[in-house]
Amino acid sequence: MKEQLNKYKKLFQEMIKDLKTKGNRHKQIPNVLTTLRLLAPLIIIPAFALSNFPLAFSSIIIFSLTDAADGFIARKFKLTSELGRDLDATADKIFAGTLLISLCTINPVYIISLILEASIGLTCAYKKSHNVDMRTCISGKLKTIVLDILVILGMGSIFINIPDIILTVMISLTTALQAITLKEYIEYKEPNKEDKIISIEENKDNEEIEEKNNEKTLTFQKYYTNENEKQKNYVKTKFKK
């Protein structure tokens, strides 16, 4: 956990440094848009609680647009980063939770989906803090699609009459997929868990294998082609036994 916190602290410091440097600010545009989505709960939940639906729905649209824009800009201009990927995943979970909490102010039945979604998020966070590289499972992808439809129907039911049977079926289906996804994430284990990569660094000296404090360092060479010229580089990869 401490290693993860230190890593993100360093990544955020680099982000702030880029924002302060005129020539590098554009690199952080996707991350700034993603960070703005973290403010969604502060606006959307109070708006629903006060029945200020125009403000609530306009905010949802704006925050949804930032979700589409950050990914498009990052891919289009090759501004993807580790911080951006993790920040985007966190923002998505917080945004989904915000919408579910908002629906709970209208109908308490949505609290089941809220609790399960929070459990999935906490499980992923716990696994990642223990250096487990989580992969989205098929049930997780289906769950996200069905959850989005449920949220849209739930929001729509404020203005139009949607049959209770449709909402009941969607809530049941969402709950089932969330439970399956949670179970798969809890049981998820990385392949070759005995040898876990804990760091990768460039090593041009071609050091021999080292073993110390239950860690072993493997050194192997990589080739980079540059205008028909092969350049030799060595990469040192540390594994934890």
Side-chain angles (χ1 to χ4, degrees):
M1 175 68 79
K2 187 176 180 180
E3 290 179 5
Q4 288 289 330
L5 291 175
N6 288 333
K7 181 185 76 172
Y8 287 122
K9 180 181 178 181
K10 183 178 179 180
L11 290 174
F12 272 108
Q13 287 174 342
E14 291 175 358
M15 175 181 170
I16 298 299
K17 184 179 179 180
D18 280 344
L19 290 173
K20 290 180 178 180
T21 306
K22 189 174 181 180
N24 292 338
R25 287 172 186 164
H26 68 284
K27 296 180 182 179
Q28 298 299 332
I29 290 176
N31 291 340
V32 170
L33 290 172
T34 304
T35 303
L36 287 176
R37 203 155 70 255
L38 298 176
L39 302 177
L42 303 178
I43 300 174
I44 296 174
I45 294 174
F48 267 94
L50 298 172
S51 298
N52 189 343
F53 297 124
L55 174 60
F57 281 98
S58 59
S59 299
I60 290 172
I61 292 171
I62 292 171
F63 285 119
S64 297
L65 288 174
T66 66
D67 188 17
D70 61 8
F72 173 78
I73 293 172
R75 290 188 297 271
K76 179 71 174 178
F77 299 100
K78 298 180 180 179
L79 299 175
T80 56
S81 64
E82 181 181 5
L83 176 62
R85 288 189 293 271
D86 291 347
L87 198 59
D88 186 63
T90 302
D92 285 345
K93 288 181 173 59
I94 290 176
F95 189 57
T98 297
L99 299 181
L100 287 172
I101 292 172
S102 299
L103 287 174
C104 287
T105 64
I106 301 170
N107 189 338
V109 72
Y110 293 102
I111 197 169
I112 299 172
S113 295
L114 174 62
I115 291 172
L116 286 171
E117 196 64 20
S119 300
I120 291 171
L122 290 173
T123 300
C124 290
Y126 174 80
K127 294 276 188 175
K128 192 164 184 64
S129 69
H130 286 71
N131 299 313
V132 177
D133 185 16
M134 297 294 292
R135 302 293 182 186
T136 303
C137 56
I138 295 176
S139 62
K141 292 178 180 178
L142 289 174
K143 180 268 301 178
T144 300
I145 294 171
V146 174
L147 180 61
D148 289 343
I149 295 173
L150 174 63
V151 169
I152 292 171
L153 291 174
M155 296 291 179
S157 66
I158 297 173
F159 303 103
I160 60 177
N161 183 25
I162 296 178
D164 291 339
I165 185 64
I166 293 179
L167 290 174
T168 301
V169 169
M170 290 304 301
I171 290 172
S172 300
L173 183 57
T174 302
T175 300
L177 287 171
Q178 285 177 314
I180 294 171
T181 301
L182 179 60
K183 180 177 181 295
E184 290 193 17
Y185 283 169
I186 290 174
E187 296 175 349
Y188 180 85
K189 292 181 180 179
E190 285 183 295
N192 302 323
K193 195 174 178 65
E194 311 81 35
D195 289 341
K196 185 185 298 299
I197 296 176
I198 57 174
S199 68
I200 297 177
E201 59 189 82
E202 188 176 340
N203 171 32
K204 296 181 179 179
D205 299 324
N206 193 17
E207 296 177 2
E208 298 296 327
I209 295 178
E210 302 171 357
E211 292 203 21
K212 184 180 181 182
N213 297 329
N214 290 326
E215 294 176 7
K216 61 180 180 181
T217 301
L218 303 181
T219 302
F220 59 95
Q221 60 188 40
K222 295 180 71 175
Y223 292 95
Y224 298 90
T225 303
N226 182 17
E227 295 180 356
N228 299 323
E229 216 175 284
K230 287 188 175 180
Q231 296 180 348
K232 194 181 295 184
N233 243 349
Y234 293 96
V235 177
K236 184 169 63 178
T237 307
K238 287 186 179 179
F239 290 83
K240 193 168 188 178
K241 286 185 174 181

